[in-house]
mmCIF file of all heavy atoms in Angstrom:
data_model
loop_
_atom_site.group_PDB
_atom_site.id
_atom_site.type_symbol
_atom_site.label_atom_id
_atom_site.label_comp_id
_atom_site.label_asym_id
_atom_site.label_seq_id
_atom_site.Cartn_x
_atom_site.Cartn_y
_atom_site.Cartn_z
ATOM 1 N N GLY A 1 11.423 -4.393 -8.705
ATOM 2 C CA GLY A 1 11.808 -5.066 -9.921
ATOM 3 C C GLY A 1 11.597 -4.114 -11.112
ATOM 4 O O GLY A 1 11.874 -2.891 -11.038
ATOM 5 N N LYS A 2 11.083 -4.601 -12.206
ATOM 6 C CA LYS A 2 10.829 -3.810 -13.410
ATOM 7 C C LYS A 2 9.657 -2.947 -13.290
ATOM 8 O O LYS A 2 9.480 -2.042 -14.225
ATOM 9 C CB LYS A 2 10.694 -4.776 -14.636
ATOM 10 C CG LYS A 2 11.913 -5.716 -14.821
ATOM 11 C CD LYS A 2 13.208 -4.972 -14.927
ATOM 12 C CE LYS A 2 14.464 -5.858 -15.090
ATOM 13 N NZ LYS A 2 15.727 -5.153 -15.098
ATOM 14 N N ALA A 3 8.815 -3.138 -12.317
ATOM 15 C CA ALA A 3 7.566 -2.363 -12.180
ATOM 16 C C ALA A 3 7.909 -0.891 -11.719
ATOM 17 O O ALA A 3 8.727 -0.771 -10.749
ATOM 18 C CB ALA A 3 6.594 -3.020 -11.246
ATOM 19 N N ASP A 4 7.379 0.079 -12.261
ATOM 20 C CA ASP A 4 7.642 1.483 -11.859
ATOM 21 C C ASP A 4 6.639 1.977 -10.782
ATOM 22 O O ASP A 4 6.709 3.102 -10.403
ATOM 23 C CB ASP A 4 7.722 2.390 -13.003
ATOM 24 C CG ASP A 4 6.318 2.548 -13.703
ATOM 25 O OD1 ASP A 4 5.375 1.861 -13.315
ATOM 26 O OD2 ASP A 4 6.246 3.348 -14.660
ATOM 27 N N ARG A 5 5.746 1.090 -10.313
ATOM 28 C CA ARG A 5 4.838 1.411 -9.261
ATOM 29 C C ARG A 5 4.445 0.224 -8.496
ATOM 30 O O ARG A 5 4.554 -0.949 -8.986
ATOM 31 C CB ARG A 5 3.645 2.248 -9.862
ATOM 32 C CG ARG A 5 2.854 1.357 -10.790
ATOM 33 C CD ARG A 5 1.827 2.240 -11.588
ATOM 34 N NE ARG A 5 2.512 3.387 -12.222
ATOM 35 C CZ ARG A 5 2.207 4.665 -11.973
ATOM 36 N NH1 ARG A 5 1.275 4.981 -11.031
ATOM 37 N NH2 ARG A 5 2.878 5.620 -12.537
ATOM 38 N N ALA A 6 3.896 0.423 -7.261
ATOM 39 C CA ALA A 6 3.362 -0.650 -6.532
ATOM 40 C C ALA A 6 1.811 -0.816 -6.859
ATOM 41 O O ALA A 6 1.086 0.092 -6.922
ATOM 42 C CB ALA A 6 3.434 -0.368 -5.035
ATOM 43 N N ASP A 7 1.422 -2.078 -7.192
ATOM 44 C CA ASP A 7 0.054 -2.294 -7.448
ATOM 45 C C ASP A 7 -0.824 -1.893 -6.262
ATOM 46 O O ASP A 7 -1.897 -1.382 -6.359
ATOM 47 C CB ASP A 7 -0.171 -3.816 -7.829
ATOM 48 C CG ASP A 7 0.584 -4.141 -9.123
ATOM 49 O OD1 ASP A 7 0.707 -3.278 -9.989
ATOM 50 O OD2 ASP A 7 0.956 -5.356 -9.115
ATOM 51 N N SER A 8 -0.347 -2.307 -5.065
ATOM 52 C CA SER A 8 -1.044 -1.860 -3.859
ATOM 53 C C SER A 8 -0.075 -1.866 -2.706
ATOM 54 O O SER A 8 0.972 -2.526 -2.698
ATOM 55 C CB SER A 8 -2.186 -2.888 -3.587
ATOM 56 O OG SER A 8 -1.666 -4.169 -3.193
ATOM 57 N N ILE A 9 -0.381 -1.030 -1.694
ATOM 58 C CA ILE A 9 0.263 -0.981 -0.393
ATOM 59 C C ILE A 9 -0.749 -1.151 0.709
ATOM 60 O O ILE A 9 -1.799 -0.418 0.720
ATOM 61 C CB ILE A 9 1.007 0.331 -0.177
ATOM 62 C CG1 ILE A 9 2.155 0.491 -1.208
ATOM 63 C CG2 ILE A 9 1.620 0.364 1.259
ATOM 64 C CD1 ILE A 9 2.850 1.805 -1.134
ATOM 65 N N GLU A 10 -0.535 -2.141 1.549
ATOM 66 C CA GLU A 10 -1.473 -2.442 2.588
ATOM 67 C C GLU A 10 -0.835 -2.188 3.948
ATOM 68 O O GLU A 10 0.301 -2.707 4.130
ATOM 69 C CB GLU A 10 -2.064 -3.850 2.484
ATOM 70 C CG GLU A 10 -2.991 -4.306 3.609
ATOM 71 C CD GLU A 10 -3.482 -5.713 3.577
ATOM 72 O OE1 GLU A 10 -4.029 -6.056 2.471
ATOM 73 O OE2 GLU A 10 -3.240 -6.454 4.513
ATOM 74 N N ILE A 11 -1.412 -1.495 4.846
ATOM 75 C CA ILE A 11 -0.868 -1.310 6.153
ATOM 76 C C ILE A 11 -1.886 -1.852 7.202
ATOM 77 O O ILE A 11 -2.986 -1.445 7.227
ATOM 78 C CB ILE A 11 -0.573 0.218 6.431
ATOM 79 C CG1 ILE A 11 0.416 0.723 5.377
ATOM 80 C CG2 ILE A 11 -0.011 0.384 7.840
ATOM 81 C CD1 ILE A 11 0.705 2.201 5.564
ATOM 82 N N ARG A 12 -1.423 -2.708 8.078
ATOM 83 C CA ARG A 12 -2.188 -3.128 9.211
ATOM 84 C C ARG A 12 -1.567 -2.398 10.416
ATOM 85 O O ARG A 12 -0.440 -2.693 10.773
ATOM 86 C CB ARG A 12 -2.125 -4.614 9.443
ATOM 87 C CG ARG A 12 -3.055 -5.132 10.478
ATOM 88 C CD ARG A 12 -2.770 -6.603 10.896
ATOM 89 N NE ARG A 12 -1.489 -6.689 11.528
ATOM 90 C CZ ARG A 12 -0.638 -7.811 11.400
ATOM 91 N NH1 ARG A 12 -1.089 -8.809 10.788
ATOM 92 N NH2 ARG A 12 0.465 -7.760 12.005
ATOM 93 N N TRP A 13 -2.359 -1.490 10.961
ATOM 94 C CA TRP A 13 -1.886 -0.699 12.075
ATOM 95 C C TRP A 13 -1.882 -1.422 13.356
ATOM 96 O O TRP A 13 -2.558 -2.428 13.441
ATOM 97 C CB TRP A 13 -2.765 0.587 12.125
ATOM 98 C CG TRP A 13 -2.698 1.445 10.898
ATOM 99 C CD1 TRP A 13 -3.585 1.429 9.909
ATOM 100 C CD2 TRP A 13 -1.717 2.384 10.518
ATOM 101 N NE1 TRP A 13 -3.258 2.301 8.885
ATOM 102 C CE2 TRP A 13 -2.045 2.891 9.292
ATOM 103 C CE3 TRP A 13 -0.558 2.825 11.123
ATOM 104 C CZ2 TRP A 13 -1.272 3.800 8.580
ATOM 105 C CZ3 TRP A 13 0.230 3.752 10.497
ATOM 106 C CH2 TRP A 13 -0.123 4.309 9.236
ATOM 107 N N PRO A 14 -1.184 -0.957 14.377
ATOM 108 C CA PRO A 14 -1.140 -1.674 15.697
ATOM 109 C C PRO A 14 -2.509 -1.895 16.324
ATOM 110 O O PRO A 14 -2.679 -2.780 17.054
ATOM 111 C CB PRO A 14 -0.251 -0.770 16.530
ATOM 112 C CG PRO A 14 0.647 -0.043 15.540
ATOM 113 C CD PRO A 14 -0.167 0.165 14.328
ATOM 114 N N ASP A 15 -3.523 -0.998 15.989
ATOM 115 C CA ASP A 15 -4.871 -1.234 16.523
ATOM 116 C C ASP A 15 -5.588 -2.231 15.747
ATOM 117 O O ASP A 15 -6.863 -2.500 16.019
ATOM 118 C CB ASP A 15 -5.598 0.108 16.593
ATOM 119 C CG ASP A 15 -5.856 0.744 15.239
ATOM 120 O OD1 ASP A 15 -5.609 0.098 14.218
ATOM 121 O OD2 ASP A 15 -6.303 1.936 15.212
ATOM 122 N N GLY A 16 -5.099 -2.888 14.644
ATOM 123 C CA GLY A 16 -5.716 -3.907 13.877
ATOM 124 C C GLY A 16 -6.418 -3.300 12.668
ATOM 125 O O GLY A 16 -6.807 -4.116 11.722
ATOM 126 N N GLN A 17 -6.585 -2.034 12.513
ATOM 127 C CA GLN A 17 -7.269 -1.477 11.403
ATOM 128 C C GLN A 17 -6.343 -1.644 10.168
ATOM 129 O O GLN A 17 -5.124 -1.507 10.267
ATOM 130 C CB GLN A 17 -7.669 0.001 11.596
ATOM 131 C CG GLN A 17 -8.403 0.579 10.356
ATOM 132 C CD GLN A 17 -8.915 2.029 10.821
ATOM 133 O OE1 GLN A 17 -9.034 2.414 11.961
ATOM 134 N NE2 GLN A 17 -9.127 2.797 9.729
ATOM 135 N N VAL A 18 -6.935 -1.880 8.981
ATOM 136 C CA VAL A 18 -6.185 -2.030 7.816
ATOM 137 C C VAL A 18 -6.558 -0.982 6.736
ATOM 138 O O VAL A 18 -7.743 -0.744 6.492
ATOM 139 C CB VAL A 18 -6.428 -3.468 7.149
ATOM 140 C CG1 VAL A 18 -5.776 -3.630 5.807
ATOM 141 C CG2 VAL A 18 -6.041 -4.539 8.139
ATOM 142 N N GLU A 19 -5.545 -0.407 6.121
ATOM 143 C CA GLU A 19 -5.738 0.522 5.038
ATOM 144 C C GLU A 19 -5.042 0.095 3.788
ATOM 145 O O GLU A 19 -3.939 -0.518 3.865
ATOM 146 C CB GLU A 19 -5.262 1.947 5.429
ATOM 147 C CG GLU A 19 -6.157 2.596 6.508
ATOM 148 C CD GLU A 19 -5.663 4.013 6.813
ATOM 149 O OE1 GLU A 19 -6.142 4.936 6.037
ATOM 150 O OE2 GLU A 19 -4.805 4.219 7.661
ATOM 151 N N ARG A 20 -5.614 0.342 2.614
ATOM 152 C CA ARG A 20 -5.006 -0.045 1.377
ATOM 153 C C ARG A 20 -4.928 1.138 0.475
ATOM 154 O O ARG A 20 -5.890 1.908 0.330
ATOM 155 C CB ARG A 20 -5.821 -1.181 0.677
ATOM 156 C CG ARG A 20 -5.800 -2.540 1.565
ATOM 157 C CD ARG A 20 -6.674 -3.597 0.888
ATOM 158 N NE ARG A 20 -6.587 -4.827 1.597
ATOM 159 C CZ ARG A 20 -7.395 -5.112 2.602
ATOM 160 N NH1 ARG A 20 -8.381 -4.231 3.023
ATOM 161 N NH2 ARG A 20 -7.325 -6.273 3.191
ATOM 162 N N PHE A 21 -3.841 1.179 -0.279
ATOM 163 C CA PHE A 21 -3.603 2.261 -1.200
ATOM 164 C C PHE A 21 -3.181 1.624 -2.558
ATOM 165 O O PHE A 21 -2.330 0.796 -2.630
ATOM 166 C CB PHE A 21 -2.469 3.160 -0.773
ATOM 167 C CG PHE A 21 -2.717 3.676 0.695
ATOM 168 C CD1 PHE A 21 -2.274 2.871 1.792
ATOM 169 C CD2 PHE A 21 -3.466 4.804 0.901
ATOM 170 C CE1 PHE A 21 -2.460 3.286 3.090
ATOM 171 C CE2 PHE A 21 -3.630 5.228 2.235
ATOM 172 C CZ PHE A 21 -3.192 4.521 3.321
ATOM 173 N N LYS A 22 -3.895 2.042 -3.645
ATOM 174 C CA LYS A 22 -3.694 1.417 -4.958
ATOM 175 C C LYS A 22 -2.812 2.247 -5.893
ATOM 176 O O LYS A 22 -2.786 3.472 -5.776
ATOM 177 C CB LYS A 22 -5.080 1.196 -5.578
ATOM 178 C CG LYS A 22 -5.995 0.322 -4.810
ATOM 179 C CD LYS A 22 -5.553 -1.134 -4.792
ATOM 180 C CE LYS A 22 -6.614 -2.097 -4.161
ATOM 181 N NZ LYS A 22 -6.160 -3.454 -4.232
ATOM 182 N N ASP A 23 -2.102 1.534 -6.768
ATOM 183 C CA ASP A 23 -1.391 2.194 -7.848
ATOM 184 C C ASP A 23 -0.441 3.359 -7.352
ATOM 185 O O ASP A 23 -0.630 4.507 -7.736
ATOM 186 C CB ASP A 23 -2.302 2.686 -8.919
ATOM 187 C CG ASP A 23 -1.683 2.964 -10.252
ATOM 188 O OD1 ASP A 23 -0.598 2.302 -10.553
ATOM 189 O OD2 ASP A 23 -2.163 3.834 -10.973
ATOM 190 N N VAL A 24 0.475 2.965 -6.496
ATOM 191 C CA VAL A 24 1.362 4.012 -5.916
ATOM 192 C C VAL A 24 2.662 4.060 -6.717
ATOM 193 O O VAL A 24 3.358 3.088 -6.856
ATOM 194 C CB VAL A 24 1.661 3.633 -4.422
ATOM 195 C CG1 VAL A 24 2.479 4.764 -3.809
ATOM 196 C CG2 VAL A 24 0.420 3.473 -3.648
ATOM 197 N N PRO A 25 3.021 5.235 -7.222
ATOM 198 C CA PRO A 25 4.241 5.458 -7.992
ATOM 199 C C PRO A 25 5.484 5.038 -7.197
ATOM 200 O O PRO A 25 5.512 5.290 -5.968
ATOM 201 C CB PRO A 25 4.254 6.936 -8.398
ATOM 202 C CG PRO A 25 2.811 7.316 -8.348
ATOM 203 C CD PRO A 25 2.212 6.543 -7.221
ATOM 204 N N GLY A 26 6.453 4.501 -7.874
ATOM 205 C CA GLY A 26 7.685 3.982 -7.170
ATOM 206 C C GLY A 26 8.745 5.079 -7.188
ATOM 207 O O GLY A 26 8.555 6.227 -7.553
ATOM 208 N N ASP A 27 9.988 4.621 -6.727
ATOM 209 C CA ASP A 27 11.147 5.462 -6.702
ATOM 210 C C ASP A 27 10.949 6.677 -5.831
ATOM 211 O O ASP A 27 11.341 7.826 -6.193
ATOM 212 C CB ASP A 27 11.655 5.839 -8.067
ATOM 213 C CG ASP A 27 11.958 4.621 -8.932
ATOM 214 O OD1 ASP A 27 12.502 3.679 -8.385
ATOM 215 O OD2 ASP A 27 11.692 4.686 -10.167
#
């Protein structure tokens, strides 16, 4: 949308582990 970045990106991997990444630039 109008946001030029993601506040957060969360990935749950196939082994169940979760990683989070904050303030990721868009485009």
Side-chain angles (χ1 to χ4, degrees):
K2 303 305 179 185
D4 64 357
R5 62 190 56 239
D7 297 329
S8 69
I9 296 176
E10 177 183 303
I11 300 177
R12 187 192 66 209
W13 299 97
D15 63 9
Q17 185 173 336
V18 176
E19 291 186 87
R20 295 179 178 86
F21 308 89
K22 299 290 187 180
D23 196 31
V24 183
D27 299 323

